[in-house]
Amino acid sequence: MVRRYGQLNVALLFSGDVVALGLSWIVSYLLRFRLEIIPVTRGFPPVSDYLVLLPFVWLAWVMAARLTHLYWFRVGLKSTVEIGRLTRTMAWTVLMIIALTFFYREKSYSRIMVVFFMVMGPVFLFLCRRITWSIIRRLRRRGVDMRRILVVGTSPLARQTASQLEAYRFLGFQVAGHISDKREAGELAGDMNVLGRLPDVREVVEREEIHEVYVVLPADRLKEQSDLLDTLADSSVDLRVVPDLVGRMSLNAGIEELNGLPVILLSQTPLLGWNRIVKRMMDIVCGLVALLVFSPLMALIAVLVKLSSRGPVFYAQERMGLDGVKFEMFKFRSMRVDAETESGAVWASPEDDRRTGLGVLLRKTSLDELPQLFNVLKGDMSLVGPRPERPVFVDNFRQSVPGYMLRHKMKSGMTGWAQVNGWRGDTSIDKRIEYDLYYIENWSLALDIKIMWLTVWKGFLSQNAY
């Protein structure tokens, strides 16, 4: 949900930014020419030469802020997100300053000072914004510049919408009350401030001096929703619709635009664009390093497998990976050649007599999984991700475990968040799914590195591997 700041936010935040930029500019001058952190070789220019540039610095900031939409915000804006936005705006501002000073030949301006400004700017901006937000919160508590909001609906989703709006009251949101969508008059009771029924919406908007209306009606009330929107079409209130799809939103849900057409994303992989490229690059680099490190051990295991039992060294088994695509996963053979002739596809058990003598050790230490490094380099798998399952097991799990197929929104991995937390092998499938979905929703390169480190730190032994 994206909207402009209220007038109070714009005025105070912009004023604070102007002060922060001015202080940063002056401090950068002092660091360069008074403290001489880096020795000055061409004399000390008067401060007036740099103060003349300050209005252009502010103008460049305004232009950069328009490029980065700095004075737009997303409800629930975190400090880390705000720092990122301020830094990007600062980078554009510095580029404009460099362009001006490069082409302006009457005076020579210090590029080192501009570097100081680029470093000090985000620091001062963030500190000033903390003070500004504190002032804004105090004013909001006194009811200054509030946007009165009417929520149409009394469903759990409508309650959640009102609760979220009230949680960000410091942004100027004030929920005046609800319009009941119940058909029976006796259903109006409850702890909500019900201001009227659907036919009364226009009267309530005018009486309560409403600025925004959030329409939160069930999916089966589309006709009533359409009538309500028609009723308010010629009013001055801002209209917003919260679709009754929250229950169906799962992994990385959001909204995107298709040539002006809003599209609601119910679930999607986090590996889009640059993320996909970076993760693949890490798989290739780390996969090659791991293959180089483990190649002597893999060669020894291959010889031992060949000598210890009849059959091939490697075993290829069909698994299901990203987007439900099947692939052949490689392992060192740890069972007899005819292991599934009588039993069919079953989970391995603690006393499984299908295993070879060497296979017991390989499976317990997970060394039978090392050939999957070739799957990683091929692109079938990743170093980190949900462990792939056999299609026959997938068909069973997808019918009994809600959300099971969502784990295929991420490429399968040699190790994963569930595995380093002890959920591997014949353990609770519900817990494994819980951990897999957590990994996909919170994916980052840092999390991948953490999982790889935990895999090495905890070792390859597992009590659930047999």
Side-chain angles (χ1 to χ4, degrees):
M1 179 171 57
V2 181
R3 59 186 292 270
R4 291 182 182 277
Y5 277 112
Q7 293 300 316
L8 177 68
N9 298 53
V10 172
L12 291 181
L13 288 171
F14 179 72
S15 298
D17 291 346
V18 167
V19 171
L21 290 167
L23 289 173
S24 303
W25 189 253
I26 293 171
V27 169
S28 298
Y29 172 85
L30 295 176
L31 289 174
R32 178 67 185 105
F33 298 112
R34 292 295 181 262
L35 297 182
E36 288 191 73
I37 295 177
I38 299 176
V40 178
T41 58
R42 297 184 181 180
F44 299 93
V47 68
S48 58
D49 287 354
Y50 285 83
L51 290 178
V52 169
L53 279 180
L54 193 52
F56 177 79
V57 172
W58 287 326
L59 177 61
W61 176 261
V62 172
M63 295 170 64
R66 289 186 62 84
L67 290 173
T68 60
H69 301 293
L70 180 65
Y71 296 102
W72 289 59
F73 73 96
R74 185 176 296 277
V75 173
L77 186 66
K78 298 179 181 179
S79 296
T80 52
V81 177
E82 189 169 37
I83 291 173
R85 284 178 150 186
L86 290 171
T87 303
R88 286 194 298 273
T89 307
M90 192 68 187
W92 278 107
T93 303
V94 169
L95 284 175
M96 294 179 192
I97 293 172
I98 291 174
L100 174 72
T101 56
F102 179 81
F103 291 106
Y104 186 68
R105 295 298 185 181
E106 292 187 14
K107 291 183 180 179
S108 177
Y109 289 97
S110 170
R111 288 176 174 79
I112 295 177
M113 181 196 149
V114 174
V115 171
F116 284 153
F117 177 64
M118 183 170 60
V119 174
M120 299 301 299
V123 176
F124 276 89
L125 284 165
F126 184 73
L127 292 176
C128 283
R129 285 212 164 198
R130 293 305 91 199
I131 297 172
T132 304
W133 277 120
S134 178
I135 295 172
I136 290 174
R137 288 174 186 272
R138 290 174 178 270
L139 293 174
R140 297 299 192 199
R141 284 196 289 268
R142 296 180 181 180
V144 177
D145 193 37
M146 301 298 289
R147 299 279 291 177
R148 289 178 59 79
I149 297 173
L150 179 67
V151 177
V152 177
T154 53
S155 65
L157 179 57
R159 290 172 179 264
Q160 181 183 350
T161 301
S163 176
Q164 291 289 338
L165 290 168
E166 283 292 346
Y168 294 100
R169 189 181 177 86
F170 70 93
L171 297 177
F173 299 149
Q174 180 183 20
V175 178
H178 291 254
I179 289 291
S180 175
D181 60 329
K182 304 301 183 183
R183 293 188 170 96
E184 300 296 331
E187 297 182 72
L188 289 175
D191 59 350
M192 289 178 291
N193 182 23
V194 177
L195 302 175
R197 299 169 62 82
L198 287 176
D200 310 322
V201 64
R202 190 180 184 91
E203 176 191 342
V204 172
V205 165
E206 294 175 356
R207 183 183 72 235
E208 299 292 333
E209 298 181 346
I210 300 298
H211 299 100
E212 300 178 14
V213 174
Y214 280 71
V215 182
V216 194
L217 293 176
D220 60 354
R221 309 289 290 276
L222 290 178
K223 176 63 169 61
E224 291 161 286
Q225 176 176 292
S226 179
D227 292 341
L228 181 141
L229 295 176
D230 288 340
T231 300
L232 297 177
D234 61 346
S235 69
S236 60
V237 297
D238 293 341
L239 291 173
R240 289 174 171 79
V241 176
V242 180
D244 187 20
L245 294 171
V246 173
R248 296 184 179 275
M249 291 183 174
S250 50
L251 293 174
N252 305 296
I255 298 176
E256 66 181 13
E257 186 178 295
L258 179 61
N259 195 25
L261 179 69
V263 179
I264 300 174
L265 304 172
L266 300 182
S267 65
Q268 64 173 335
T269 175
L271 295 183
L272 298 172
W274 180 247
N275 287 345
R276 193 184 192 99
I277 295 173
V278 171
K279 185 170 174 65
R280 181 61 183 147
M281 288 174 61
M282 186 174 74
D283 283 340
I284 293 174
V285 173
C286 295
L288 286 172
V289 171
L291 192 61
L292 182 63
V293 170
F294 288 110
S295 57
L297 177 60
M298 292 174 68
L300 175 61
I301 293 173
V303 172
L304 293 176
V305 170
K306 192 64 179 177
L307 295 176
S308 63
S309 63
R310 178 179 58 85
V313 171
F314 297 105
Y315 176 63
Q317 191 176 68
E318 188 177 56
R319 298 290 178 110
M320 186 174 287
L322 179 65
D323 295 327
V325 176
K326 299 174 184 178
F327 68 96
E328 295 291 319
M329 189 182 79
F330 306 128
K331 302 176 72 172
F332 282 120
R333 184 176 57 81
S334 58
M335 291 189 175
R336 301 191 312 268
V337 175
D338 59 349
E340 293 188 341
T341 302
E342 297 180 1
S343 64
V346 294
W347 290 94
S349 60
E351 303 299 329
D352 202 321
D353 60 3
R354 299 175 301 165
R355 299 172 298 178
T356 64
L358 177 63
V360 174
L361 175 63
L362 293 179
R363 295 176 73 89
K364 192 65 179 178
T365 57
S366 300
L367 293 176
D368 62 324
E369 311 281 359
L370 287 177
Q372 288 160 37
L373 288 170
F374 295 111
N375 286 114
V376 171
L377 296 178
K378 280 182 60 181
D380 295 330
M381 295 177 63
S382 175
L383 289 172
V384 181
R387 286 293 295 165
E389 294 288 358
R390 301 174 67 175
V392 62
F393 294 142
V394 171
D395 290 338
N396 294 330
F397 293 147
R398 70 190 305 176
Q399 296 175 22
S400 58
V401 182
Y404 178 82
M405 292 303 291
L406 290 174
R407 69 197 301 274
H408 296 100
K409 292 292 182 183
M410 180 72 82
K411 189 177 289 187
S412 303
M414 290 185 66
T415 184
W417 185 238
Q419 283 66 44
V420 296
N421 282 281
W423 302 104
R424 61 168 295 184
D426 192 9
T427 54
S428 169
I429 187 65
D430 292 311
K431 275 295 183 181
R432 285 159 58 190
I433 295 303
E434 178 186 334
Y435 278 81
D436 285 342
L437 297 187
Y438 173 87
Y439 167 74
I440 298 174
E441 289 185 51
N442 297 277
W443 176 84
S444 67
L445 281 181
L447 182 57
D448 273 3
I449 293 170
K450 177 180 179 179
I451 292 171
M452 286 190 287
W453 167 249
L454 287 174
T455 301
V456 175
W457 175 256
K458 293 184 176 183
F460 298 97
L461 288 171
S462 172
Q463 62 180 359
N464 298 314
Y466 31 77

